């Protein structure tokens, strides 16, 4: 069966999956979107509700489906799983979500699926690595949403701080999508202007304390939202929409997706977010960007935490 890049599936239609489906409708990227959920009625209800908006949106079909509909899809987005409670870390979800992921991968790999698998469920880096290992797909076809969302949060906060459009801010959050993530300040710029040069021109000051405050706001963003409204979903829906757009339009765009490293940055046997080129084949190339010594140390420490989590969950899954 050939791959239809205009057909996508979302597995898990809770807050995140339904918001991603809504974003896909707005983007008009796909001609057919299939919604799959363990709760079939939830998928049906979401498909019906979303379809009501089609006359004012895109020309596409949105249906509730089964894993049989995943065959032939160009993109499958996995959002099934439990979400964090206030104060809970993403890594604490690992046991429950790894078991759910394993059952979903069993369904997908037993069908003829040759498209891109995009993991969103948390802890996203560990689940991206497990997805690649359990599916046997090449790493190009298995990516995680990674720190695309966290990077958007940093751009937005920096844009506000400096009084400039956040789309002109170029700065990455890399590492774990979680507590050990880090900001790559050494390469941050505003439309090509070094951050400090831009601050001078804009009449603003950005000292190390300000940078630390912004980083901590990014790092604590999900928890701050979850404490107020119980879940996060619009930001991630925009981030996934952007990744999907890069794939469908074969953009070769640079995004900090989560990917399995095979020696890049001297790391392997884990998935982490680092800037990469994304196009219709998924992961095209991981970019080894320059890092300061402090950033390099923080990336290594983040990688170490991911490797420990992977080891733990792999032995739990083997015993299950
Ligand atoms: P939710 O509880 O609202 O929805 C989860 C959905 O998954 C439910 O509809 C449930 O029925 C379904 N589900 C459970 N097991 C399933 C299975 N085996 N097969 C198919 N469907 C199944 O949760 P949510 O708020 O939508 O969050 C979903 C996941 O996304 C969580 O793991 C959360 O941490 C993660 N998330 C990731 C990011 C990110 O940046 N990567 C951001 C926000 C949330």
């Amino acid at each position: 069966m050939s791959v239809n890049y205009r057909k996508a599936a979302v597995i898990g239609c809770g807050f995140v999956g339904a918001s991603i489906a809504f974003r896909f409708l707005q983007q008009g990227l796909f001609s057919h979107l299939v919604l799959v959920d363990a709760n079939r009625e939830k998928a049906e209800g979401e498909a019906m509700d979303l379809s009501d908006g089609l006359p004012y949106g895109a020309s596409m079909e949105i249906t509730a489906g089964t894993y049989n509909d995943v065959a032939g899809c160009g993109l499958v987005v996995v959002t099934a799983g439990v979400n964090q409670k206030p104060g809970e870390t993403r890594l604490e979800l690992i046991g429950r979500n790894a078991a759910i992921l394993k059952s979903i991968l069993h369904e997908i790999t037993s069908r003829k699926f040759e498209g891109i698998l995009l993991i969103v469920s948390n802890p996203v880096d560990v689940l991206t690595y497990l997805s690649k290992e359990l599916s046997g797909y090449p790493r190009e076809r298995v990516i995680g949403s990674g720190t695309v969302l966290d990077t958007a949060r940093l751009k937005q906060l920096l844009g506000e701080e400096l009084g400039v459009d956040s789309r002109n801010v170029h700065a990455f959050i890399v590492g774990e999508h979680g507590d050990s993530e880090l900001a790559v300040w050494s390469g941050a710029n505003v439309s090509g202007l070094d951050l400090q040069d831009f601050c001078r021109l804009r009449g603003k000051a950005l000292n190390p304390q300000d940078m630390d405050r912004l980083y901590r706001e990014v790092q604590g963003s999900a928890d701050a939202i979850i404490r107020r409204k119980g879940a996060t979903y619009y930001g991630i829906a925009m981030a996934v929409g952007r990744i999907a757009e890069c794939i469908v339009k074969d953009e070769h765009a640079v995004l900090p997706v989560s990917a399995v490293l095979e020696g890049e940055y001297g790391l392997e046997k884990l998935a982490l977010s680092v800037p990469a080129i994304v196009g219709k084949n998924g992961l095209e190339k991981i970019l080894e960007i320059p890092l300061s010594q402090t950033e390099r140390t923080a990336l290594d420490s983040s990688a170490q935490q991911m490797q420990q989590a992977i080891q733990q969950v792999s032995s739990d899954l083997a015993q299950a």
Side-chain angles (χ1 to χ4, degrees), residues 19-41:
S19 304
I20 289 170
F22 185 53
R23 179 64 189 143
F24 285 171
L25 184 165
Q26 289 173 317
Q27 288 175 296
L29 283 177
F30 301 104
S31 53
H32 189 179
L33 179 63
V34 181
L35 304 182
V36 180
D37 197 286
N39 177 350
R40 169 79 191 191
E41 286 206 330

Side-chain angles (χ1 to χ4, degrees), residues 125-302:
D125 307 287
V126 177
L127 297 188
T128 299
Y129 182 78
L130 287 182
S131 298
K132 195 237 162 229
E133 290 299 295
L134 294 171
S135 69
Y137 298 151
R139 72 165 176 168
E140 292 72 22
R141 287 178 51 208
V142 185
I143 55 181
S145 56
T147 54
V148 176
L149 170 59
D150 317 60
T151 292
R153 287 172 173 154
L154 179 64
K155 287 175 182 235
Q156 172 59 15
L157 289 174
L158 259 176
E160 272 175 25
E161 184 91 3
L162 304 181
V164 66
D165 188 332
S166 58
R167 292 170 300 181
N168 293 152
V169 176
H170 300 283
F172 289 112
I173 294 283
V174 301
E176 175 197 6
H177 166 62
D179 292 351
S180 69
E181 66 191 13
L182 58 133
V184 184
W185 291 111
S186 60
N189 67 81
V190 179
S191 290
L193 280 165
D194 170 82
L195 207 50
Q196 294 304 337
D197 288 341
F198 178 83
C199 289
R200 263 190 299 282
L201 293 172
R202 190 76 176 91
K204 303 267 182 186
L206 194 69
N207 60 39
Q209 290 76 22
D210 296 323
M211 290 153 124
D212 193 52
R213 169 176 48 82
L214 292 174
Y215 161 70
R216 297 212 174 276
E217 213 174 315
V218 170
Q219 190 199 34
S221 175
D223 195 47
I225 297 168
I226 290 168
R227 282 181 195 281
R228 287 166 172 81
K229 60 176 270 194
T232 70
Y233 35 93
Y234 297 129
I236 184 61
M238 293 299 288
V240 169
R242 179 69 192 116
I243 300 169
E245 184 177 32
C246 293
I247 294 169
V248 174
K249 295 184 179 170
D250 197 18
E251 285 189 14
H252 315 290
V254 178
L255 287 175
V257 289
S258 186
V260 175
L261 301 187
E262 293 176 351
E264 294 89 354
Y265 296 91
L267 299 168
E268 58 180 4
K269 295 193 174 16
L270 81 169
L272 266 191
S273 290
V274 282
I277 308 262
V278 179
K280 82 171 171 24
N281 298 319
L283 182 79
E284 273 182 27
K285 182 161 180 57
I286 289 177
L287 303 173
E288 292 189 71
I289 59 168
L291 298 173
S292 70
Q293 193 52 51
T294 315
E295 291 159 359
R296 180 66 232 208
T297 305
L299 183 69
D300 284 344
S301 155
S302 188

